[in-house]
């Protein structure tokens, strides 16, 4: 019974192992079997690893090979192990499974990969680790590296190492002067360490470091170690400044300085504002100049020398090399402009400064290379005497001659600037001699005339042209002459017009002449410059006299007004003087007055008095304005005349009463009274607005009339007549009323209107003939009378036409025909 129990326990363990390992079985495309097996198994053996696939139902001679240690075996189609596996000893096994089927041997490969467990502690490669740090190393730049080893699978977290710094002894001058990279184990300075590291204060440090697997997790294995760090000095410092002469002859490159980094291998480079490849540095830190320098282009260079690790990381702060360029006298002095312009007054005295020229030398201003000397080397036009000089040191140009009068209006000077080496350049100075007003103008004649002008000469007539000569420069301000009328022209009869091109003045007539008022003019003219005289004064030669005689001519009369406005009330008695036209004759000849344009002969004018009178009374309603022309003739020469307009305005008088306008016999009002029905009565007043502006209607002062009727004003000339009671019997009514104007006192007209009152249809039409007022003809009788009258007239006309057709006599004059108005029945 023991064997079955053992067998059952073995099978149970086998199935458990099979279920654990079934997830790690891989079958490659070539039918080889690959399985993963954890190391250090501590369960029951044999340890069944996996069921072998693809075995036939019947086979024999099942064996496994490739295992020299006899760890693996096969049974009943299962692969098993007899002892634990160790990945660090052998990470994988390649087994060959063989069997026989139908007398044929067959086989396939089973690859067993041992799965790692974290069963190894990481250890430092060296028990005592040493390093050195150079003074001046930047923070974060590694100066050594600690290394550790973990035998577990490096592709798993079991061998993922994490480094840390535990302690620093001593902790001076700062507690945390070092740090370690947790992944690489590189040791570097912190910010405090880089800034405070001092070998004189502390030359050696002891660092405690730790390494952990599992990336430093809490369940990780760890070990510790010690690092001794030596602090060393460094030759890395800014080299001494270098002074180089410009334009060195070479040969190039020329070594000018050298730097060195003490410690690990480094690479050097140069940075700064200089042309590419002008300065270079090699691996040994030697700095070269590769081409000549030009101080005028750049007089000094600040070159930063950069030190880096081979991977390109900067390990220390750059140091500076200052290169100063010494001057060589290789620049000629030059003027900022090639040509200068200046002026000098012609009366300038000797020593007067006119201009300062300054040349510049690009050589070093701290040396004598920039000392410049000035010389006047040429003057055009040439003169026997020196007109100008230039100061040798300052470049100030002054007048050398006693006076510039009589010289050319323009001089051209050539100035050179030369340095101590003889290098030079030149410029041109154009000096314009500025004219000054030192000569007064002089008239060509002392007297002009006499000239004769008729008194009817047109305004703008040129009397004469005068001129004064000026010895100053032609066209300049000192040459220009201002002419003035000093006396004899108090009434501004004449004016002067100057031609600035010729410097002449025309004497022009500016006002109308009058022989009777002034028959002779003696004008005194003066000539002066527009700018003040700087030497001399204006004398008698700068004045002249012009004599003008005025010749008399017969002139026409002159009226005092060009238009007269006269106001007359309408209806005034004829014969009243309404205006007096006044005129005079310059030659004292008599004046005759006449009217022109008074076609209706309403006015008359005194032939010699000029009194304008009304011949008959005027009516404003006929014409409110009359315009006529009054003509004044020379009594000795009728061709000489003057005229003026006279406008007579007629003032309105309230001489017209208002009247009723229109025929209202055909209109009617409905009874019973219709709301808003009324007759519109119109009136008119021929007077002006001040008398007939607003017309007032009022019913006769009769109780019955005022009871039955009502007047309602519409505007100034119209009013509504309507029933004042709800009902009036149908008939024709005579409604009396008064129309008054708005004058004070008012004028009134008493009148009446025939108003038909009738019964109306729903559409407002009269349905029955109204009762006629007593004494009035009926409609039937009126129609009968009208037809009879028309018949008689027709017979008379027929007889008249028949008679005319048999007569050859001249047709009767139309003026003899009578017009008989139709009589109106009351």
């Amino acid at each position: 019974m023991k064997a079955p129990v053992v067998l059952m326990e073995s099978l149970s363990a086998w199935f458990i192992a099979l279920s654990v390992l079934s997830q790690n079985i891989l079958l490659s495309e070539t039918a080889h079997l690959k399985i993963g097996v954890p190391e250090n198994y501590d369960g029951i053996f044999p340890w069944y690893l996996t069921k072998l696939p693809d075995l036939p139902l019947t086979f024999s001679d099942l064996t496994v090979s490739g295992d020299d240690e006899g760890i693996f075996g096969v049974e009943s189609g299962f692969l098993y192990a007899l002892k634990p596996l160790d990945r660090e000893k052998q990470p994988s096994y390649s087994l060959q499974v063989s069997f026989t089927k139908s007398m044929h041997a067959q086989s396939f490969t089973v690859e067993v990969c041992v799965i790692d467990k974290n069963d190894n502690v990481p250890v430092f490669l060296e028990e005592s680790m040493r390093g050195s740090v150079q003074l001046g190393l930047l923070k974060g730049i590694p100066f050594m590296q600690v290394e550790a080893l973990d035998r577990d699978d490096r592709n798993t977290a079991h061998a993922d190492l994490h480094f840390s710094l535990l302690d620093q002894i001593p902790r001076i001058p700062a507690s945390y002067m070092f740090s370690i990279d947790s992944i690489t184990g590189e040791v570097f300075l912190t910010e405090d360490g880089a800034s405070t590291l001092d070998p004189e204060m502390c030359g050696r440090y002891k660092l405690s470091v730790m390494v952990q697997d599992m990336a430093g997790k809490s369940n990780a294995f760890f070990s510790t170690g010690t690092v001794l760090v030596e602090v060393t000095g460094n030759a890395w410092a800014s080299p001494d400044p270098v002074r180089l002469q410009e334009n060195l002859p070479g040969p190039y490159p020329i070594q000018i300085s050298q730097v060195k980094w003490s410690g690990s291998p480094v690479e050097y480079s140069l940075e700064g504002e200089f042309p590419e490849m002008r300065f270079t540095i090699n691996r040994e830190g030697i700095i070269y100049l590769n081409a000549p320098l030009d101080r005028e282009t750049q007089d000094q260079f600040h070159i930063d020398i950069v030190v880096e690790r081979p991977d390109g990381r900067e390990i220390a702060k750059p140091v500076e090399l200052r290169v100063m360029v010494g001057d060589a006298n290789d620049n000629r002095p030059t003027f900022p402009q090639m040509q200068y312009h200046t002026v000098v007054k012609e009366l300038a005295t000797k020593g007067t400064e006119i201009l300062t020229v300054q040349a510049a030398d690009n050589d070093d201003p701290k040396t004598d290379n920039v000392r410049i000397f000035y010389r006047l080397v040429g003057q055009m036009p040439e003169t026997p005497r020196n007109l100008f000089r230039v100061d040798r040191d300052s470049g100030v140009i002054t007048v050398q001659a006693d006076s510039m009068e009589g010289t050319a209006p323009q001089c051209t000077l050539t100035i050179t600037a030369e340095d101590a080496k003889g290098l030079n350049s030149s410029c041109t100075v154009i000096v314009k001699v500025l004219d000054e007003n030192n000569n007064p103008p002089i008239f060509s004649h002392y007297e002009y005339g006499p000239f004769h002008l008729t008194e009817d000469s047109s305004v703008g007539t040129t009397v004469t042209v005068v001129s004064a000569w000026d010895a100053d420069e032609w066209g300049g301000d000192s040459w220009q002459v201002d002419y003035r009328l000093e006396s004899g022209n108090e009434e501004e009869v004449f004016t002067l017009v100057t031609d600035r091109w010729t410097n002449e003045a025309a004497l022009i007539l500016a006002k109308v002449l009058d022989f009777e008022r002034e028959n002779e003019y003696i004008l005194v003219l003066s000539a002066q410059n527009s700018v003040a005289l700087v030497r001399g004064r204006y004398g008698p030669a700068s004045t002249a006299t012009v004599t003008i005689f005025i010749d008399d001519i017969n002139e026409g009369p002159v009226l005092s007004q060009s238009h007269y406005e006269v106001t007359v009330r309408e209806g005034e008695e004829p014969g009243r003087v309404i205006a007096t036209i006044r005129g005079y004759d310059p030659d004292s000849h008599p004046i005759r007055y006449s009217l022109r344009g008074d076609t209706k002969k309403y006015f008359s004018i005194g032939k010699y008095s000029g009194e304008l009178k009304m011949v008959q009374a005027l009516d404003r309603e006929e014409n409110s304005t009359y315009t006529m022309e009054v003509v004044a003739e020379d009594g000795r020469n009728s061709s000489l005349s003057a005229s003026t307009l006279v406008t007579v305005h007629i003032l309105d008088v309230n001489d017209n009463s208002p009247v009723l306008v229109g025929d209202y016999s055909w209109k009617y009002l409905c009874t019973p009274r219709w709301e808003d029905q009324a007759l519109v009565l119109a009136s008119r007043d021929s007077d002006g607005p001040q008398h007939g502006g607003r017309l007032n209607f009022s019913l006769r002062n009769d109780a019955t009339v005022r009871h039955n009727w009502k007047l309602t004003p519409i505007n100034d000339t119209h009013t509504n007549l309507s029933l004042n009671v709800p009902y009036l019997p149908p008939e024709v009514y005579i409604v009396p009323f008064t129309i008054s104007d708005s004058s004070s006192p008012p004028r009134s007209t008493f009148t009446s209107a025939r108003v038909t009152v009738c019964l109306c249809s729903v559409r407002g039409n009269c349905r029955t003939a109204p009762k006629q007022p007593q004494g009035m003809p009926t409609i039937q009788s009126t129609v009968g009378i009208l037809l009879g009258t028309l018949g008689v007239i027709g017979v008379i006309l027929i007889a008249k036409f028949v008679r005319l057709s048999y007569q050859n006599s001249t047709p009767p004059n139309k003026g003899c025909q009578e017009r008989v108005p139709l009589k109106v029945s009351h």
Side-chain angles (χ1 to χ4, degrees):
M1 295 298 292
K2 218 175 207 185
V5 172
V6 173
L7 180 60
M8 290 299 294
E9 289 178 352
S10 299
L11 288 175
S12 177
W14 179 80
F15 281 114
I16 293 173
L18 180 62
S19 63
V20 172
L21 299 175
S22 60
Q23 297 179 357
N24 297 324
I25 299 174
L26 297 174
L27 188 62
S28 67
E29 295 181 357
T30 57
H32 292 176
L33 182 63
K34 184 176 182 179
I35 63 174
V37 179
E39 67 173 335
N40 302 327
Y41 174 73
D42 56 355
I44 300 175
F45 291 93
W47 178 24
Y48 289 92
L49 304 180
T50 183
K51 179 177 175 55
L52 300 175
D54 297 333
L55 289 175
L57 295 177
T58 58
F59 60 88
S60 60
D61 301 328
L62 180 63
T63 60
V64 60
S65 60
D67 174 20
D68 296 337
E69 300 180 11
I71 299 174
F72 300 96
V74 289
E75 183 181 1
S76 302
F78 286 91
L79 176 66
Y80 61 86
L82 297 177
K83 62 180 181 178
L85 304 179
D86 186 358
R87 193 202 67 83
E88 286 72 33
K89 182 178 180 181
Q90 186 171 345
S92 64
Y93 298 86
S94 180
L95 306 177
Q96 192 74 20
V97 177
S98 303
F99 60 91
T100 300
K101 176 184 178 184
S102 302
M103 305 297 292
H104 294 287
Q106 296 184 15
S107 66
F108 59 87
T109 301
V110 177
E111 185 176 355
V112 178
C113 297
V114 182
I115 300 173
D116 183 50
K117 283 187 177 182
N118 191 16
D119 55 349
N120 291 279
V121 175
V123 294
F124 287 103
L125 297 183
E126 299 178 14
E127 294 183 2
S128 179
M129 295 166 281
R130 294 179 177 272
S132 64
V133 58
Q134 294 80 26
L135 189 64
L137 190 68
L138 293 177
K139 69 172 184 177
I141 302 300
F143 59 86
M144 67 172 295
Q145 184 179 16
V146 296
E147 295 179 298
L149 176 65
D150 192 312
R151 297 180 61 207
D152 289 322
D153 189 354
R154 64 180 59 192
N155 296 321
T156 66
H158 303 155
D160 186 2
L161 303 185
H162 182 274
F163 298 93
S164 59
L165 181 62
L166 301 179
D167 193 12
Q168 165 195 315
I169 299 175
R171 295 188 176 187
I172 56 172
S175 299
Y176 300 98
M177 299 186 65
F178 301 91
S179 184
I180 189 170
D181 189 291
S182 61
I183 304 300
T184 63
E186 292 177 328
V187 183
F188 52 87
L189 290 173
T190 63
E191 184 172 356
D192 288 342
S195 60
T196 62
L197 191 67
D198 185 356
E200 294 183 0
M201 181 179 295
C202 182
R204 178 181 295 179
Y205 291 91
K206 180 179 180 182
L207 307 180
S208 296
V209 294
M210 179 176 67
V211 61
Q212 297 173 284
D213 62 11
M214 297 298 291
K217 294 181 180 180
S218 58
N219 59 343
F221 295 121
F222 68 90
S223 62
T224 60
T226 300
V227 178
L228 295 179
V229 178
E230 296 284 343
V231 180
T232 63
N234 202 331
W236 185 249
S238 295
D240 294 334
V242 176
R243 185 176 183 86
L244 300 175
Q245 192 74 9
E246 65 175 331
N247 303 322
L248 288 175
Y252 292 90
I254 299 174
Q255 179 177 342
I256 62 175
S257 187
Q258 183 174 9
V259 294
K260 182 174 180 61
W261 173 263
S262 302
S264 58
V266 294
E267 294 181 357
Y268 303 99
S269 62
L270 302 180
E271 294 180 356
E273 295 184 2
F274 53 85
E276 186 177 2
M277 298 303 295
R278 179 62 55 86
F279 299 96
T280 56
I281 187 170
N282 63 10
R283 291 181 177 274
E284 288 73 33
I286 300 174
I287 302 172
Y288 295 95
L289 172 65
N290 298 312
L293 299 177
D294 182 9
R295 193 204 66 83
E296 288 71 37
T297 302
Q298 190 168 348
D299 61 354
Q300 61 179 330
F301 299 87
H302 295 273
I303 303 173
D304 290 331
I305 308 170
V306 181
V307 59
E308 298 174 338
R309 297 197 315 178
D311 61 1
R313 291 185 64 183
E314 191 173 343
I315 64 175
K317 292 182 179 180
V319 294
E320 181 184 75
L321 171 63
R322 184 182 177 188
V323 178
M324 293 168 290
V325 184
D327 184 46
N329 193 356
D330 59 346
N331 290 279
R332 67 181 64 249
T334 58
F335 291 96
Q337 56 193 74
M338 296 300 296
Q339 191 176 84
Y340 294 84
H341 292 266
T342 187
V343 296
V344 60
K345 294 181 178 180
E346 65 172 332
L347 299 180
T349 58
K350 184 176 181 179
T352 301
E353 293 186 10
I354 63 170
L355 181 67
T356 299
V357 292
Q358 292 287 331
D361 194 310
N362 289 331
D363 289 322
D364 190 352
K366 299 177 181 179
T367 67
D368 289 338
N369 297 337
V370 297
R371 187 177 180 185
I372 301 173
F373 305 97
Y374 300 93
R375 288 189 300 121
L376 174 61
V377 297
Q379 172 187 304
M380 292 296 294
E382 297 181 354
T383 58
R385 52 182 178 150
N386 293 327
L387 299 179
F388 304 95
R389 69 176 297 273
V390 60
D391 186 80
R392 181 174 180 269
D393 296 316
S394 65
V396 176
I397 303 174
T398 58
V399 176
Q400 178 70 14
D402 295 331
S403 173
M404 297 298 296
E405 287 186 275
T407 63
Q410 179 174 297
C411 297
T412 302
L413 310 179
T414 301
I415 309 294
T416 64
E418 186 174 352
D419 64 12
K421 189 178 179 180
L423 301 175
N424 64 77
S425 63
S426 62
C427 70
T428 301
V429 179
I430 298 175
V431 183
K432 181 179 180 183
V433 181
L434 188 64
D435 180 51
E436 292 192 273
N437 192 16
N438 58 334
N439 295 287
I442 299 174
F443 276 102
S444 58
H445 299 85
Y446 296 125
E447 293 184 357
Y448 292 86
F451 302 100
H452 289 266
L453 291 177
T454 58
E455 64 175 330
D456 64 345
S457 296
S458 302
V459 173
T461 300
T462 301
V463 179
T464 186
V465 176
V466 298
S467 63
W469 178 79
D470 194 300
D472 289 314
E473 182 183 358
W474 183 90
D477 292 339
S478 300
W479 176 81
Q480 296 287 348
V481 178
D482 289 340
Y483 296 90
R484 300 175 187 174
L485 286 165
E486 298 293 344
S487 64
N489 191 43
E490 286 72 16
E491 296 184 1
E492 299 181 350
V493 177
F494 300 94
T495 187
L496 290 169
V497 177
T498 304
D499 186 339
R500 292 300 181 187
W501 179 257
T502 63
N503 232 8
E504 297 177 335
L507 183 63
I508 307 295
L509 181 64
K511 290 184 178 180
V512 176
L513 297 172
D514 187 352
F515 173 84
E516 289 72 24
R517 185 173 183 180
E518 191 73 45
N519 57 16
E520 181 183 2
Y521 292 91
I522 298 176
L523 307 177
V524 177
L525 280 64
S526 68
Q528 298 182 8
N529 297 119
S530 57
V531 296
L533 277 173
V534 296
R535 190 173 67 185
R537 62 185 181 85
Y538 297 105
S542 298
T543 60
T545 302
V546 180
T547 303
I548 304 170
F549 294 115
I550 309 302
D551 297 333
D552 185 32
I553 63 170
N554 188 11
E555 301 172 81
V558 179
L559 296 175
S560 60
Q561 294 179 221
S562 61
H563 190 200
Y564 288 81
E565 296 278 346
V566 181
T567 301
V568 178
R569 294 174 65 86
E570 68 172 328
E572 285 194 13
E573 292 295 329
R576 187 174 76 85
V577 177
I578 62 174
T580 300
I581 310 302
R582 301 189 183 278
Y584 72 94
D585 190 277
D587 302 306
S588 301
H589 295 171
I591 300 175
R592 291 194 298 266
Y593 297 94
S594 61
L595 290 178
R596 186 185 298 165
D598 181 21
T599 58
K600 295 186 177 182
K601 306 300 181 182
Y602 285 161
F603 304 91
S604 66
I605 190 169
K607 185 175 182 179
Y608 294 105
S609 64
E611 293 180 344
L612 185 63
K613 300 180 180 179
M614 293 189 304
V615 176
Q616 54 182 300
L618 303 177
D619 185 5
R620 194 201 66 83
E621 285 72 36
E622 179 182 347
N623 196 355
S624 62
T625 305
Y626 294 89
T627 301
M628 68 205 78
E629 186 178 14
V630 175
V631 180
E633 296 179 352
D634 189 323
R636 296 181 184 178
N637 186 355
S638 61
S639 63
L640 300 176
S641 64
S643 62
T644 184
L645 288 178
V646 179
T647 301
V648 180
H649 300 283
I650 311 302
L651 294 178
D652 186 35
V653 175
N654 192 13
D655 57 350
N656 291 281
S657 299
V659 297
L660 185 67
V661 180
D663 180 17
Y664 304 95
S665 60
W666 57 277
K667 296 185 179 181
Y668 61 88
L669 294 174
C670 295
T671 185
R673 182 181 64 195
W674 282 37
E675 291 295 331
D676 299 330
Q677 187 183 31
L679 299 181
V680 179
L681 304 180
S683 60
R684 182 182 69 245
D685 193 316
S686 299
D687 291 321
Q690 69 182 79
H691 298 299
R694 181 175 179 83
L695 304 180
N696 302 310
F697 292 78
S698 61
L699 294 170
R700 191 177 66 184
N701 193 12
D702 181 275
T704 303
V705 174
R706 291 179 177 272
H707 177 268
N708 292 339
W709 304 95
K710 178 174 66 173
L711 291 172
T712 304
I714 300 175
N715 52 33
D716 290 349
T717 58
H718 293 72
T719 190
N720 280 333
L721 175 63
S722 59
L723 295 180
N724 197 32
V725 294
Y727 176 81
L728 279 179
E731 62 178 80
V732 179
Y733 292 86
I734 304 299
V735 181
F737 53 88
T738 302
I739 307 175
S740 303
D741 61 21
S742 56
S743 183
S744 179
R747 292 180 68 93
S748 302
T749 298
F750 301 95
T751 184
S752 62
R754 294 167 55 88
V755 181
T756 300
V757 179
C758 62
L759 297 174
C760 297
S761 65
V762 294
R763 294 184 179 181
N765 299 322
C766 256
R767 294 188 302 179
T768 58
K771 180 179 178 181
Q772 296 295 325
Q774 189 175 1
M776 297 299 295
T778 63
I779 295 177
Q780 292 82 358
S781 64
T782 302
V783 173
I785 294 171
L786 179 60
L787 291 177
T789 302
L790 292 175
V792 173
I793 293 172
V795 172
I796 294 173
L797 291 174
I798 291 172
K800 189 70 173 178
F801 287 137
V802 171
R803 181 181 177 183
L804 291 174
S805 64
Y806 289 98
Q807 293 180 353
N808 294 325
S809 60
T810 304
N813 190 350
K814 293 182 180 180
C816 298
Q817 298 179 7
E818 294 184 357
R819 296 180 179 178
V820 181
L822 298 178
K823 295 183 179 180
V824 180
S825 299
H826 298 283

